Amino acid sequence: MVKVWKGLLASLLLAFGLALALEVKVYPYDQARLLAGQRFDLLVILQGVSGDVKGLEVSLDGKPLEGFQARQGEGSREYLLRDLSLTPGTHSLRVVAEDAQGQVQTTRRWESIAPGVGKVRNVILFIGDGMGWQTVNAARIVAKGYNPESGMPRGLLAMEEGLSGMANVLPSSLNSFVTDSANSAASLATGQKLEVNALNVYPDTTKDNLDNPRVETIAEMLKRARGASIGVVTTTFGTDATPAAWNTHTRRRSEYQAIADQYFGQGGFGLALDVMLFGGARDFIPKSAPGSRRKDETDWIKKAQEMGYAFVSNRTELLKVGVPKKLFGLFHIDNFPSYLDRAVWRRPEVLKDFTDMPYLWEMTQKAVEVLSQNPNGFFLMVEGGMVDKYEHPLDWYRAVWDALELDKAVAWAKAWAEARGDTLVLVTADHSHGLTVYGGYDHTKGPGNREAVGVYEAAGFPTYGDKLDANGLPRPETARGLAVGFGDFPDYCETFTWREVYLDPTISDGKGGYVPNPEVCKEPGAFVRTGNLPKGASQGVHTAEPVPLFAFGPGGEAFRGVMDQTQVFFLMAKALGLNPYLGR
């Protein structure tokens, strides 16, 4: 709407013989910090141009830059220069632009950082999507509980034990203090603040989502400078925002087909992933195949095998595949069902044809086995992506048990890394949700019973763990559980308990809003909660709280205190001794 208004205003002013003042925007933004040798694109945007651009001079540290590509944006003129990089130190960019109204000058200052020699060969980065401090707390209570004799916690999660470092990370974006998974994961990957929904690109004013100025990720630099390998593992569909943040470049995270293509080195900086294990087959199969959402007939399952990837489609195949040089696995047409759906309830109407799916710790182990063959090291991102997918619809049971599935993967990776001594393991989140534990719930009093909510001394202690599943995790069915709520929610019906078949909390009212799902409201004890989000909201949203970071292994001691999300990138680079400026 703002762009439309500006365009209309400009047209009206020109019609009356007036003009907007010439405005210059530059990306990377002022005070940007980049790694020495990190590749990026420079964009100069001229807005409010009167007549022709009579002159444009761009100089870096006093030396003219040439070779800009001129292009027309929406109500602007753009000048793009691709594939720059900086030497270590502080740099000054000066832009002088002139149109019929006169001349405008602006200066941007950038800092280019060269880490010292690090001790780390590999990085395994775990991201619990939406896994804020309170989600970790709920997962610990469920998994470990308390000693009712002493009130002491019976233990910690694997992600909380044996720490080398721990930090409180502040997530925000270039255009909002409440962040999205795409730009948040991309900040971890690049060290840059980016706009909501953007993957490793700065903003521009063109309609094309794939022509934005790019910035290189840590995984891409490792592959380019060292010949390292890159892996992505997640329980979401593979082209989702967090997995896409490590080697793709687009203004809109919804460019799923282009993201899938970039995974195999088509587009972006042209660097392919070496290991891919996730759901979302629909973006990798030809449009003529059932369930596909591609717009062409590209068959990445076939092409990947021609490129040397071993392909697996279920848990049985994954465990039998051995240790190929490259590995591609698609285990679902869309997102994985939750851990509880796959491991505990196993309802056929939920699992449908996908009854043989791997667990996150199994995918992590196989990815590490494949990637660790490379003597030049590897970067692996492992996402517990369904934590977020179930916190949005306020299904805390599925969200918390998916966090426990992630924790089992962390436990395996910590043991593997400790035996080697050359691998940094990090566990963090891209953003938080409004989940909080505020009491206990006595399930013997039935669902939807507000009098069954115990607070203070009436909360007692939960009894999770009296029933375990086949993987040793507590089952949700227990006499005394948790009372969990969300700080942000639409109108919905509360029951305080789980359901074995997932239901959305809301349905469309046909008028642009949402109302409580009547199927939920018909459940025993269900009662309506009046939401605190706009009527157009169908589910919970991301919140602005800081998120945890747990570090293990060499270099982990640097992750401490309160830090901005972009600092995680530079500390990973420091631990690795990554210096693409020197080719290492």
Side-chain angles (χ1 to χ4, degrees):
M1 188 66 184
V2 173
K3 287 184 178 180
V4 172
W5 167 245
K6 283 186 175 180
L8 179 60
L9 178 61
S11 299
L12 289 171
L13 289 171
L14 289 171
F16 287 98
L18 303 173
L20 294 171
L22 181 62
E23 180 183 1
V24 180
K25 291 185 177 180
V26 178
Y27 296 100
Y29 47 82
D30 193 33
Q31 305 299 323
R33 300 169 72 234
L34 295 124
L35 202 64
Q38 182 178 11
R39 293 163 66 185
F40 66 93
D41 299 337
L42 168 62
L43 181 67
V44 177
I45 303 173
L46 304 184
Q47 294 179 315
V49 177
S50 176
D52 294 328
V53 176
K54 294 186 175 181
L56 177 68
E57 298 178 3
V58 184
S59 58
L60 179 62
D61 299 330
K63 298 179 180 179
L65 293 177
E66 298 179 348
F68 283 88
Q69 171 193 347
R71 59 191 196 183
Q72 185 67 45
E74 294 186 54
S76 69
R77 314 282 177 84
E78 292 191 355
Y79 300 87
L80 178 68
L81 184 60
R82 294 211 183 266
D83 292 343
L84 276 73
S85 63
L86 300 173
T87 59
T90 301
H91 299 270
S92 177
L93 184 86
R94 182 170 179 265
V95 179
V96 181
E98 184 178 0
D99 68 356
Q101 296 293 306
Q103 189 180 88
V104 175
Q105 300 183 33
T106 188
T107 301
R108 299 290 182 269
R109 294 193 179 277
W110 302 325
E111 183 181 1
S112 179
I113 298 169
V117 177
K119 301 177 182 179
V120 171
R121 181 190 300 271
N122 316 304
V123 170
I124 304 175
L125 173 64
F126 289 93
I127 297 178
D129 199 313
M131 190 183 70
W133 286 105
Q134 295 298 335
T135 303
V136 173
N137 181 55
R140 183 195 327 102
I141 295 172
V142 167
K144 302 299 180 179
Y146 294 87
N147 183 339
E149 298 296 323
S150 66
M152 292 292 290
R154 285 186 167 132
L156 301 175
L157 297 174
M159 68 180 73
E160 298 174 307
E161 288 188 300
L163 297 168
S164 301
M166 184 172 71
N168 203 28
V169 179
L170 309 176
S172 61
S173 74
L174 187 60
N175 59 342
S176 173
F177 75 99
V178 181
T179 194
D180 167 71
S181 294
N183 70 273
S184 182
S187 286
L188 294 171
T190 64
Q192 304 299 293
K193 289 296 184 184
L194 304 169
E195 290 192 331
V196 169
N197 291 320
L199 288 164
N200 307 313
V201 295
Y202 298 109
D204 68 6
T205 63
T206 70
K207 294 182 179 180
D208 188 346
N209 292 323
L210 300 174
D211 72 351
N212 287 61
R214 307 161 304 190
V215 58
E216 195 174 24
T217 71
I218 190 168
E220 289 173 318
M221 282 183 277
L222 279 168
K223 186 158 193 162
R224 174 173 64 87
R226 290 189 182 173
S229 295
I230 312 171
V232 166
V233 172
T234 181
T235 49
T236 68
F237 67 92
T239 59
D240 201 10
T242 305
W246 307 96
N247 80 321
T248 75
H249 303 265
T250 172
R251 176 60 186 87
R252 294 291 170 190
R253 57 182 285 183
S254 57
E255 293 280 358
Y256 302 125
Q257 178 172 307
I259 290 170
D261 295 346
Q262 289 183 51
Y263 280 169
F264 292 95
Q266 295 190 3
F269 284 110
L271 296 175
L273 297 175
D274 300 283
V275 171
M276 293 165 268
L277 300 173
F278 38 56
R282 59 186 177 176
D283 296 311
F284 299 90
I285 56 178
K287 70 175 182 179
S288 56
S292 174
R293 66 175 171 189
R294 289 190 68 92
K295 299 176 183 178
D296 63 23
E297 289 295 330
T298 300
D299 183 347
W300 278 117
I301 295 176
K302 179 181 178 181
K303 292 185 68 173
Q305 293 175 84
E306 293 171 350
M307 295 169 64
Y309 290 84
F311 177 74
V312 292
S313 61
N314 56 46
R315 180 174 184 260
T316 301
E317 292 176 357
L318 178 71
L319 298 181
K320 289 183 177 180
V321 72
V323 188
K325 291 184 178 180
K326 296 188 292 185
L327 181 60
F328 180 34
L330 293 170
F331 304 109
H332 199 280
I333 194 69
D334 198 349
N335 295 313
F336 280 35
S338 76
Y339 173 82
L340 287 172
D341 291 312
R342 285 176 282 130
V344 178
W345 297 319
R346 297 191 60 80
R347 294 287 291 262
E349 63 267 52
V350 175
L351 297 182
K352 298 180 181 177
D353 295 331
F354 302 98
T355 58
D356 185 20
M357 301 185 67
Y359 295 112
L360 191 60
W361 61 85
E362 294 170 331
M363 293 192 290
T364 301
Q365 180 175 349
K366 183 58 66 175
V368 169
E369 289 174 356
V370 174
L371 294 168
S372 61
Q373 297 176 102
N374 188 341
N376 299 316
F378 68 83
F379 184 96
L380 172 63
M381 192 289 301
V382 179
E383 183 196 26
M386 298 308 293
V387 178
D388 171 83
K389 302 296 187 195
Y390 287 114
E391 284 182 317
H392 274 295
L394 317 180
D395 191 332
W396 77 263
Y397 288 95
R398 285 177 166 86
V400 166
W401 263 263
D402 273 75
L404 293 178
E405 181 182 16
L406 175 70
D407 195 57
K408 281 183 70 72
V410 172
W412 180 88
K414 284 174 57 182
W416 182 87
E418 186 175 358
R420 292 175 56 97
D422 64 353
T423 301
L424 173 65
V425 178
L426 300 174
V427 186
T428 189
D430 48 355
H431 58 77
S432 188
H433 275 271
L435 180 152
T436 188
V437 177
Y438 61 90
Y441 190 82
D442 185 350
H443 287 284
T444 67
K445 295 182 179 180
N449 184 352
R450 292 174 65 177
E451 300 309 311
V453 175
V455 298
Y456 298 110
E457 71 275 12
F461 296 103
T463 54
Y464 297 111
D466 57 341
K467 300 174 183 178
L468 301 178
D469 68 20
N471 296 312
L473 292 182
R475 293 178 63 97
E477 303 92 349
T478 194
R480 299 189 66 84
L482 301 182
V484 175
F486 288 80
D488 53 303
F489 53 92
D491 295 353
Y492 77 104
C493 283
E494 178 65 84
T495 66
F496 296 116
T497 191
W498 61 88
R499 57 183 59 87
E500 292 189 8
V501 176
Y502 169 82
L503 289 173
D504 288 323
T506 63
I507 62 171
S508 172
D509 64 3
K511 303 175 183 178
Y514 289 84
V515 296
N517 187 334
E519 292 299 312
V520 178
C521 296
K522 288 189 298 185
E523 293 181 352
F527 62 93
V528 176
R529 291 197 67 194
T530 301
N532 56 12
L533 293 174
K535 290 293 185 180
S538 63
Q539 55 185 7
V541 296
H542 301 171
T543 54
E545 287 89 1
V547 296
L549 185 145
F550 308 110
F552 309 90
E557 65 281 354
F559 296 85
R560 63 182 185 273
V562 180
M563 65 178 63
D564 183 77
Q565 199 170 42
T566 55
Q567 290 176 264
V568 177
F569 164 86
F570 290 103
L571 290 177
M572 287 192 293
K574 181 179 180 181
L576 287 159
L578 177 60
N579 193 333
Y581 170 65
L582 296 179
R584 66 177 192 222

